[in-house]
Amino acid sequence: LLANCLENIASLISLIPHGCIPVSIDTPTALAFSFALGCVLWFAWPSGRKGFIGVAGLLVIVGILSLAIRVPLGDALVVIDVGQGESTLVHSKESSVLIDTGTNDSAVLSALARYGIYDLDAIAITHGDDDHCGSLESIASCLEVGCIILTEPSFVSERATTVELVARARSVSDDVRGMGVGDVITVGSFKLVDIAAETFVEDGGNS
């Protein structure tokens, strides 16, 4: 809760011109600096401790309000940390497409909620390995998903994981589409182009 509060405050401040400057600092140094700054404000605030308490209270109120006020996500390409696996969110002009889901349900759902994504135009799955599509059902059960997009070779592949992927996709959506080489998905200002190979090839455990 506190982390989300601080993140939202930082996001709101970032909208102010020159309100934030990029810095590179390690965590212990940052904590020490914050503690020192708090001590300085405590003892040197012009109006005394009452003023300091007032400012602290105001920050708490702003933090609570920021939990309810989400900063709109603009044009963005977000690589979601799902641990082992991949999941990438593409968002632009109220359109959102998730490319792969990873296999960490809580991580991907938390990330989508954090960015204010409560529905997806599509989920595109590159291939049937679990670390790329393991959270498909969980996402589809929590968010409204327009369609599921698979590569065209998926529908004719005899690879066990790919056959299973097609069945899973059809179990969570009535709209399962194929995407071939050169096909384009428009996501707001972005255009996603399929440049994948036309067939699956085993390579080091991936396809």
Side-chain angles (χ1 to χ4, degrees):
L1 180 62
L2 178 59
N4 288 337
C5 175
L6 294 175
E7 179 185 354
N8 287 327
I9 291 175
S11 297
L12 290 171
I13 294 176
S14 70
L15 299 177
I16 303 173
H18 310 297
C20 293
I21 56 174
V23 296
S24 179
I25 185 172
D26 59 273
T27 302
T29 303
L31 292 174
F33 177 79
S34 299
F35 177 75
L37 181 60
C39 290
V40 170
L41 290 174
W42 179 263
F43 292 106
W45 194 265
S47 300
R49 294 183 178 180
K50 289 184 178 179
F52 177 80
I53 294 173
V55 172
L58 179 61
L59 289 176
V60 171
I61 293 173
V62 170
I64 294 173
L65 290 176
S66 71
L67 294 175
I69 302 174
R70 289 288 180 182
V71 178
L73 182 65
D75 292 353
L77 178 66
V78 182
V79 178
I80 300 173
D81 183 5
V82 292
Q84 173 65 32
E86 294 182 9
S87 184
T88 303
L89 171 67
V90 181
H91 177 84
S92 177
K93 297 180 180 179
E94 305 304 319
S95 295
S96 300
V97 170
L98 187 69
I99 304 173
D100 288 338
T101 70
T103 189
N104 188 327
D105 296 354
S106 60
V108 68
L109 289 172
S110 296
L112 292 173
R114 185 164 61 250
Y115 289 108
I117 305 298
Y118 302 110
D119 59 80
L120 294 164
D121 293 270
I123 297 177
I125 303 296
T126 58
H127 61 282
D129 288 356
D130 192 56
D131 57 351
H132 287 256
C133 63
S135 295
L136 176 61
E137 287 85 355
S138 294
I139 296 172
S141 66
C142 295
L143 280 70
E144 182 176 345
V145 178
C147 66
I148 308 294
I149 299 175
L150 307 178
T151 58
E152 286 186 347
S154 300
F155 298 98
V156 295
S157 173
E158 296 180 356
R159 188 171 184 261
T161 55
T162 306
V163 172
E164 180 183 358
L165 170 61
V166 174
R168 290 171 58 195
R170 287 172 172 162
S171 72
V172 300
S173 176
D174 294 328
D175 189 356
V176 180
R177 307 178 186 181
M179 186 173 183
V181 176
D183 288 348
V184 177
I185 301 174
T186 299
V187 186
S189 300
F190 297 121
K191 292 187 181 299
L192 310 181
V193 183
D194 186 343
I195 59 173
E198 296 182 357
T199 58
F200 289 112
V201 177
E202 295 291 343
D203 182 13
N206 290 308
S207 60

